Amino acid sequence: MATTHRRDPEIVIIGAGVAGIATAVTFKQAGFHNFVIVEKGSDVGGVWHWNRYPGLTCDVPSQIYQFSFAPKPDWRRVWATGPEIQRYHREVVEKFGLTEHLLLESEVVGARFGDDGWGVNIADGRELRADFVIAATGVLHHPFTPDIPGLGEFTGSVVHTARWDDSIETAGKRVAVIGTGSTGVQIVSALQPEAATLTQFARTPQWVLWAPMGLPQPWLLGKALDLVPGVHRRLYDGMLRASGILADVVLRPSWRRRAVQDFARLSLTAQVHDPRLRQALTPDYEPLCKRQVVSGTYYRAISAPNAELVTDAITAITPTGIRTADGRHHEVDVIVFATGFKPHNYMRPMNLIGRDGLTIDEAWSKGPRAYRMTAIPGFPNLFTVLGPNSPTGSISLQYSAELTARYITSWLRRFRAGEVDTVEVTEEATTRFNDEVADALGPTVWNTGCRSWYFTDQHTIDLWPFDRATMTRMLTTPDERDYHLTRAPRLAAL
């Protein structure tokens, strides 16, 4: 009688942000402990570690922006601040015993698949071996700074919001903010009250939904949720279900979409009374087409006497300021780049090499693509968590990451049982999924005519165009027909 060879898979998880933490806890709860989490930063939290700029606030309500396995009833605000979210991630890592698995300040620069599995290279020269590599690198971690002539000659302070320097003084200074997304809106609101002047350079205005972002969570609510965990769980589940309304709003035209868009227009007209400023702040595209910005203070800040909105293009940076296409020279002391990230790099620029020497740049020469967000043809035993087409604008990222991690766990179990050696998604299944994505993106609000960071260089939209139920169905049980599997050798019975 033959038996299968039982093995404990060696796993390398790259990244200790939302995706990496969700993956590590999910694996551990499923009985897989032989893993390391490799993180290039000095602490966990991902985007919440790297971003520390004034005014940083999550635009998702706190009670849904948490892991299902680590409920936090006592958020201080309805929309949590960045520092509180980062502390939460640190607490989760400690609570679930992930510290012993964690390699901080260890940047992965390359990984290669060979006959003996994966070799993962760290910047300091170390090499880790792995049966499986999980790329939980997220989306927003490579800051983008535009190449503006003269930037190196500026004699004042320059900082990117994703690499904030607390030593920079902005109070009483002439501050320039370049950028108009959520970060630009938040930092304008935070810096304007104490700045001598604040000038925001914004070629393309954003629709800004009004919300009381500074609203504290009632202490009694947190206490009640802590005392009755079952109620907290029902609240969390209810908010997940209610978030389906957001998916409905962005995925298809409906009265709900029209209502939210009308509210965006009302948010502008009700708060900005200067006709010229209101006109400058009015986008030429539909609300929700870009990542929606939420704020309760921005319009008031940009309307203040010491604030100015500049919509002319920047032509150069001089030693003392910024020159724009209309010929004006704006004298400033501090330049803040709120220009976002390179959102489609994912695990790049690491040198990732799969089967037969295939590089990730070759595999993605026509843009990032994966099967159901998580598997890439040509890369056996490698999975991504919150990879291409992740729902950054419609579905809870924590839910998506946990669901994906459980999906990967199904393959880990089969490896441990000796049923498979390698798991590689087929090109056919990946093409079929990406064709379905392209068709589903047609009626979405992201496809109504604006240019946003959701678009790749190949002019495709890198988002999840389905609802949560579809995601759950796709990522509950792997379909073996969509994969190339190599079988583990059988051992003869004694």
Side-chain angles (χ1 to χ4, degrees):
M1 179 179 178
T3 60
T4 56
H5 178 46
R6 188 174 178 86
R7 302 158 296 176
D8 186 20
E10 295 178 273
I11 307 164
V12 170
I13 300 169
I14 306 174
V18 168
I21 293 171
T23 301
V25 173
T26 301
F27 287 178
K28 198 166 187 178
Q29 290 180 331
F32 297 95
H33 302 274
N34 192 9
F35 63 84
V36 294
I37 311 166
V38 188
E39 167 57 49
K40 65 182 179 181
S42 60
D43 203 352
V44 302
V47 68
W48 302 107
H49 164 70
W50 293 106
N51 285 263
R52 298 186 297 273
Y53 62 83
L56 175 59
T57 305
C58 187
D59 58 6
V60 176
S62 310
Q63 287 297 340
I64 198 173
Y65 198 82
Q66 55 187 304
F67 302 108
S68 68
F69 51 76
K72 178 177 171 59
D74 59 343
W75 293 99
R76 296 184 63 184
R77 287 174 25 173
V78 174
W79 286 272
T81 64
E84 186 176 16
I85 295 173
Q86 203 281 331
R87 287 194 300 273
Y88 167 68
H89 287 138
R90 166 48 66 184
E91 291 166 0
V92 171
V93 164
E94 294 171 356
K95 177 181 179 180
F96 286 89
L98 301 184
T99 304
E100 63 193 54
H101 299 269
L102 195 59
L103 297 179
L104 295 174
E105 298 182 300
S106 302
E107 181 176 6
V108 175
V109 295
R112 177 185 286 272
F113 181 78
D115 293 338
D116 193 33
W118 283 95
V120 180
N121 301 109
I122 311 300
D124 62 8
R126 286 174 292 169
E127 180 172 303
L128 307 176
R129 191 213 165 266
D131 296 304
F132 288 84
V133 171
I134 314 300
T137 50
V139 178
L140 306 179
H141 62 107
H142 295 298
F144 169 72
T145 301
D147 185 14
I148 302 175
L151 177 58
E153 301 172 11
F154 183 64
T155 58
S157 300
V158 179
V159 65
H160 193 289
T161 53
R163 298 293 184 269
W164 190 259
D165 182 351
D166 290 326
S167 70
I168 291 178
E169 182 62 54
T170 59
K173 303 294 185 180
R174 298 169 297 180
V175 179
V177 174
I178 301 174
T180 60
S182 292
T183 299
V185 163
Q186 289 184 0
I187 203 159
V188 164
S189 299
L191 299 185
Q192 173 272 320
E194 295 187 1
T197 63
L198 186 142
T199 307
Q200 184 182 24
F201 295 83
R203 293 298 312 282
T204 306
Q206 295 267 13
W207 291 106
V208 180
L209 286 175
W210 179 88
M213 303 296 287
L215 188 67
Q217 176 181 286
W219 177 84
L220 283 176
L221 174 62
K223 193 67 175 176
L225 295 177
D226 186 37
L227 291 173
V228 191
V231 172
H232 192 196
R233 180 69 202 197
R234 286 195 291 274
L235 173 65
Y236 175 78
D237 291 341
M239 292 186 71
L240 274 180
R241 289 192 297 272
S243 68
I245 296 174
L246 176 59
D248 179 69
V249 165
V250 296
L251 296 182
R252 60 190 64 84
S254 67
W255 67 268
R256 291 188 179 93
R257 180 187 294 182
R258 290 192 299 272
V260 175
Q261 290 177 330
D262 287 345
F263 181 66
R265 297 183 179 97
L266 178 63
S267 296
L268 172 61
T269 57
Q271 295 180 80
V272 181
H273 306 295
D274 183 325
R276 292 175 59 185
L277 180 58
R278 187 190 308 142
Q279 179 60 37
L281 287 168
T282 303
D284 60 1
Y285 54 85
E286 288 187 26
L288 303 175
C289 185
K290 297 188 178 189
R291 168 80 185 199
Q292 187 54 56
V293 180
V294 182
S295 175
T297 54
Y298 170 70
Y299 285 138
R300 183 170 68 249
I302 199 63
S303 300
N306 68 331
E308 181 184 6
L309 179 71
V310 175
T311 59
D312 293 288
I314 295 173
T315 56
I317 294 178
T318 72
T320 59
I322 297 175
R323 193 176 303 282
T324 47
D326 60 353
R328 290 181 63 193
H329 183 262
H330 307 264
E331 297 277 343
V332 299
D333 304 308
V334 180
I335 297 176
V336 178
F337 282 99
T339 45
F341 300 84
K342 302 171 185 176
H344 310 295
N345 279 22
Y346 295 100
M347 51 281 214
R348 297 179 289 181
M350 73 175 63
N351 184 26
L352 190 63
I353 303 174
R355 176 177 45 80
D356 300 328
L358 177 69
T359 70
I360 191 62
D361 286 335
E362 291 169 342
W364 285 357
S365 61
K366 296 182 181 179
R369 60 195 294 267
Y371 167 84
R372 301 183 180 182
M373 304 187 293
T374 192
I376 306 169
F379 293 84
N381 291 13
L382 179 137
F383 293 92
T384 58
V385 179
L386 300 184
N389 298 114
S390 289
T392 55
S394 56
I395 301 171
S396 163
L397 292 181
Q398 288 83 355
Y399 177 86
S400 305
E402 292 174 41
L403 179 67
T404 305
R406 289 194 295 271
Y407 178 89
I408 298 168
T409 300
S410 299
W411 291 119
L412 297 181
R413 289 194 180 100
R414 294 192 62 178
F415 180 91
R416 182 171 60 186
E419 297 175 8
V420 298
D421 270 337
T422 63
V423 180
E424 179 188 343
V425 72
T426 68
E427 178 66 37
E428 294 75 18
T430 306
T431 298
R432 183 175 67 250
F433 171 74
N434 279 270
D435 288 344
E436 293 170 357
V437 166
D439 290 342
L441 282 166
T444 66
V445 74
W446 311 306
N447 201 30
T448 55
C450 69
R451 179 67 183 171
S452 71
W453 61 262
Y454 294 148
F455 280 82
T456 68
D457 292 339
Q458 291 73 30
H459 309 293
T460 59
I461 301 174
D462 188 6
L463 283 175
W464 183 260
F466 309 110
D467 59 19
R468 190 167 66 95
T470 301
M471 175 189 288
T472 303
R473 175 178 57 79
M474 286 186 175
L475 289 171
T476 294
T477 304
D479 188 340
E480 186 174 309
R481 295 170 298 180
D482 289 342
Y483 287 86
H484 295 299
L485 306 177
T486 64
R487 306 289 178 175
R490 299 281 174 169
L491 300 179
L494 295 178

